[in-house]
Amino acid sequence: MRRRRESLAGWLFTTPALVLLGLFLLAPILLAVWVSLLDWDGTRNPLAGGVPFVGLDNYRDLLTQDGLLRTDFATSVRNTLYFVLLAVPAQTALAFGLAVAVNNKLLRGRTFFRTVFYFPSVTSSVAISVVFLFLFSGTGAVNGLLRLFGVDGPTWFADPRGLLHLLLGQPPRWMLDTRVFSLSLWDWVSGPSVAMTAVIVLVVWTTSGTFMLMYLAALQNLPEDVGEAALIDGATRWQRLREVTLPLLRPTTFLVMTLGLISTWQVFDQVYVMSQGNPAKTTLTPAYLSYQRAFGDGAFGTGAAIAITLTALILVLTWAQRRLFGEGRG
Amino acid sequence: MRRILGYSVLALGAVLYLAPFVIQLVTSFKTDPDAVAHPLSLLPDPLSTDTYRRLATDPAVDFPRWFGNSLLVTVCVTLGRLLVDALAGYGLARLRWRGRDAVFGGILAVMSVPGVVLLIPKFLVLRQLSLYNSYLGMVLPLLVDGMGIFLMRQAFLQVPREVEESATVDGAGVLRTWWSVVLPMVRPALATLAVLSFQGSWNEFTGLLVATSDPRYETLTLGLARLVSGALGQGEQLPLKLTHRHAVHRAGAGRLPGRPQVLREQPAVLGGEGLVARIS
């Protein structure tokens, strides 16, 4: 009797959460797959029939058919690839450095420094994007700072040139002519645009605080005797950091990089507010492209197909990262 | 010597982390020409409170409504999450029922799905339930919070069993035990959850973006984003949108305990040659 009452209570306690999860998480996951198989313009009810079922056509246009859509998608993947490659290592390294610095017990004002470094992480992504939009404007503070050093800053959010392009100068003819997945080879290798670089700076700046807290928590859980043993063995500070602390923090590094990878592949807010994919589509990301196609152009099927493809990409990359860095080494 | 170097590096870092906020706060008191000519100066010359005045009076920016909507959504989401997560957390941590572990595993599994894939179908679900463009439709999806359920479950697991047993001996039912005996014991976890929920929902953007298209339901983040991304080309309400951003930020960060007062203030106004030229 009591057991049955407890069992009933268990279900009752969990029901509100389960209903919400079912309606707004589980159902949407299934619906995303369903919508990606439709040619749905967002008006009629896609569950009642009457909306053309097109099978894998949306995916075909996205992945195998050379056209505007695939070019846009390839561009967004290219942009985000550079974004991830620069932002993830930068935010991880910065977070680690900050954590080690503010974890120093001899440091005065530790709480102050922690608060300062964490502060950007609690701000609204929309608000902070607007701040950066104006910091990086042609007459903004960043260019003002550069001018102090005699550098003429670019008009950041109007500059589509890639960083490698700026370094290497004019592209060789054959790279322009070779096309890989709808983009020229040159497009693939020319690096993130100046505009995208500003977005990368913003994201590194706003995420390093959160990741710093994760490193801090891990650092405070480290057994002290290991560090002491190394100290007795005559290891320098730098050696202890590299040979003792860093390997012990491997699980945290793995966590931070995984979280970083997952979130950077989905960059949306910043692009929505700052650039809408401009200039010359060099800040276009798959998440923004998906939103734009669906809610902007009314091509919800295409938008859903982009989102699903992106999700698959993220899952594969997370899996690959775990195989490479995770198991057996953490 | 080495210490001085260490402090210098940290101080430089602190300046880099604070500068954007400070510069924008100062800029919000500058006039347009001053802001363009001296983006780095920390002394507005002349001092101008124009943008703030316009924020309060300009009909194009429905600031009071945005603020009210943000507050309403945030309070509802925070209270709702506390209730839903505390219930589910207890059910998953302490009550014994068949399927419990499977349910918990399932919750963890669906939580790992990237949010980007949910944008379109969330819009679809809300429309099917006739909740699109309604406060309920903005709040309910945000109550889904696997992280919070997990947090509360872990907190309940730490409460000693004897406490519940003695309550049961005294004749308290499950609900009564949960509410008046166990819940007060996990107050720190509830406080953490409240802070995280408040901050998260105050800053929420994408979830609300697909829940409403009606200006009446715009929150600070939605209003500001529309103003910036839509009006940038026209540049008409530029100073205004910048001042408004100040408020989004201030309210969002200000709720967190222990932040230096100066950090709660934040920016307004200006920049962008092309933009400025267009405002005139």
Side-chain angles (χ1 to χ4, degrees):
Chain A
M1 182 61 200
R2 238 186 81 196
R3 244 194 110 107
R4 258 185 52 199
R5 282 213 6 215
E6 191 171 324
S7 185
L8 182 70
W11 278 107
L12 286 179
F13 269 71
T14 327
T15 300
L18 288 182
V19 170
L20 287 166
L21 277 161
L23 272 179
F24 299 111
L25 197 57
L26 193 59
I29 293 169
L30 303 175
L31 280 171
V33 177
W34 173 243
V35 169
S36 76
L37 304 175
L38 302 177
D39 179 17
W40 183 45
D41 61 1
T43 55
R44 280 164 303 173
N45 177 2
L47 296 173
V51 176
F53 182 87
V54 295
L56 295 175
D57 281 9
N58 289 325
Y59 293 95
R60 192 196 58 207
D61 294 347
L62 190 62
L63 298 171
T64 63
Q65 203 123 34
D66 200 3
L68 180 63
L69 178 63
R70 197 175 84 160
T71 310
D72 280 356
F73 184 64
T75 308
S76 72
V77 168
R78 179 203 82 107
N79 296 338
T80 316
L81 204 60
Y82 283 115
F83 188 96
V84 174
L85 285 177
L86 283 177
V88 173
Q91 70 195 14
T92 308
L94 190 58
F96 177 72
L98 291 176
V100 169
V102 301
N103 192 44
N104 184 349
K105 294 199 174 52
L106 298 173
L107 178 75
R108 278 165 203 253
R110 278 196 294 165
T111 322
F112 168 76
F113 283 117
R114 272 181 214 180
T115 311
V116 167
F117 295 140
Y118 186 55
F119 190 66
S121 300
V122 300
T123 57
S124 145
S125 58
V126 174
I128 208 68
S129 298
V130 181
V131 173
F132 267 64
L133 196 53
F134 291 92
L135 285 180
F136 278 94
S137 74
T139 55
V142 171
N143 279 356
L145 195 65
L146 288 176
R147 214 167 299 128
L148 292 182
F149 297 100
V151 178
D152 232 353
T155 47
W156 296 85
F157 284 101
D159 200 331
R161 289 173 301 169
L163 287 188
L164 289 178
H165 177 149
L166 290 178
L167 280 175
L168 300 176
Q170 276 311 306
R173 187 80 241 159
W174 63 272
M175 284 191 107
L176 285 172
D177 292 339
T178 320
R179 296 187 78 77
V180 182
F181 203 72
S182 293
L183 295 184
S184 76
L185 200 56
W186 179 246
D187 282 332
W188 282 106
V189 301
S190 59
S193 68
V194 173
M196 191 53 131
T197 311
V199 184
I200 293 174
V201 170
L202 164 65
V203 168
V204 169
W205 185 73
T206 50
T207 49
S208 52
T210 312
F211 293 142
M212 172 194 77
L213 283 196
M214 292 185 186
Y215 269 122
L216 259 180
L219 276 173
Q220 283 160 0
N221 277 330
L222 283 190
E224 278 187 31
D225 47 348
V226 185
E228 279 162 16
L231 197 61
I232 292 165
D233 287 347
T236 64
R237 262 174 84 136
W238 179 244
Q239 279 175 327
R240 269 183 291 150
L241 196 65
R242 251 194 54 181
E243 309 291 337
V244 181
T245 314
L246 210 50
L248 282 173
L249 288 181
R250 204 183 188 101
T252 312
T253 305
F254 178 64
L255 175 73
V256 166
M257 292 193 64
T258 307
L259 291 176
L261 184 85
I262 292 173
S263 64
T264 44
W265 270 102
Q266 299 185 66
V267 171
F268 177 82
D269 300 9
Q270 291 82 359
V271 174
Y272 184 100
V273 173
M274 297 170 98
S275 61
Q276 295 91 49
N278 293 321
K281 296 185 178 171
T282 56
T283 60
L284 193 66
T285 63
Y288 187 74
L289 182 66
S290 164
Y291 174 84
Q292 194 188 43
R293 288 284 163 155
F295 292 89
D297 306 341
F300 282 83
T302 309
I306 295 171
I308 300 263
T309 309
L310 175 61
T311 304
L313 192 68
I314 291 174
L315 290 179
V316 168
L317 287 173
T318 317
W319 175 81
Q321 198 183 27
R322 181 146 73 199
R323 286 303 296 270
L324 279 174
F325 302 107
E327 257 127 62
R329 300 227 231 153
Chain B
M1 184 60 216
R2 201 177 174 145
R3 250 177 107 176
I4 296 172
L5 189 73
Y7 274 103
S8 315
V9 171
L10 264 186
L12 185 70
V15 167
L16 280 178
Y17 271 71
L18 285 182
F21 299 107
V22 176
I23 289 175
Q24 290 301 309
L25 173 65
V26 172
T27 310
S28 75
F29 291 102
K30 290 178 185 171
T31 57
D32 293 4
D34 184 30
V36 173
H38 312 287
L40 282 177
S41 123
L42 292 179
L43 288 173
D45 175 33
L47 191 74
S48 155
T49 53
D50 247 23
T51 47
Y52 292 90
R53 225 183 351 255
R54 284 182 62 195
L55 184 66
T57 54
D58 196 303
V61 182
D62 202 348
F63 183 78
R65 177 184 289 275
W66 292 346
F67 188 84
N69 283 341
S70 270
L71 199 63
L72 181 73
V73 169
T74 303
V75 169
C76 289
V77 170
T78 306
L79 292 177
R81 276 194 194 175
L82 283 174
L83 183 69
V84 172
D85 294 352
L87 278 171
Y90 188 67
L92 291 168
R94 271 309 161 73
L95 303 172
R96 280 152 299 193
W97 43 288
R98 202 183 307 177
R100 183 180 75 172
D101 295 339
V103 165
F104 184 58
I107 291 176
L108 291 185
V110 284
M111 283 310 295
S112 61
V113 171
V116 58
V117 78
L118 301 172
L119 283 182
I120 294 168
K122 261 188 191 167
F123 160 76
L124 172 60
V125 168
L126 287 173
R127 263 204 7 189
Q128 289 307 113
L129 299 173
S130 308
L131 289 175
Y132 189 66
N133 278 333
S134 75
Y135 287 118
L136 205 57
M138 295 162 79
V139 171
L140 284 182
L142 293 183
L143 292 184
V144 175
D145 178 27
M147 203 53 210
I149 296 176
F150 187 72
L151 189 84
M152 290 316 298
R153 176 182 177 270
Q154 301 311 103
F156 283 121
L157 282 176
Q158 314 231 324
V159 176
R161 278 243 181 230
E162 295 78 49
V163 179
E164 287 161 285
E165 276 156 16
S166 64
T168 318
V169 170
D170 289 346
V174 177
L175 198 64
R176 183 74 196 275
T177 309
W178 170 74
W179 178 258
S180 19
V181 180
V182 192
L183 212 50
M185 298 187 70
V186 294
R187 251 189 226 134
L190 287 172
T192 308
L193 182 60
V195 171
L196 290 178
S197 299
F198 197 101
Q199 186 215 331
S201 46
W202 185 269
N203 291 341
E204 180 63 40
F205 175 62
T206 41
L208 297 172
L209 189 64
V210 296
T212 174
S213 59
D214 187 333
R216 277 185 307 158
Y217 295 105
E218 269 178 352
T219 60
L220 285 168
T221 46
L222 288 179
L224 176 60
R226 179 172 58 86
L227 218 55
V228 175
S229 61
L232 208 61
Q234 296 92 49
E236 274 172 41
Q237 281 102 30
L238 191 67
L240 268 174
K241 78 187 156 217
L242 298 166
T243 307
H244 160 225
R245 173 196 61 234
H246 161 85
V248 179
H249 184 97
R250 178 171 49 184
R255 307 286 149 172
L256 285 167
R259 310 241 160 265
Q261 187 67 38
V262 62
L263 295 184
R264 299 191 184 171
E265 294 299 320
Q266 196 231 7
V269 157
L270 251 283
E273 297 132 337
L275 303 168
V276 175
R278 275 165 137 157
I279 300 169
S280 57

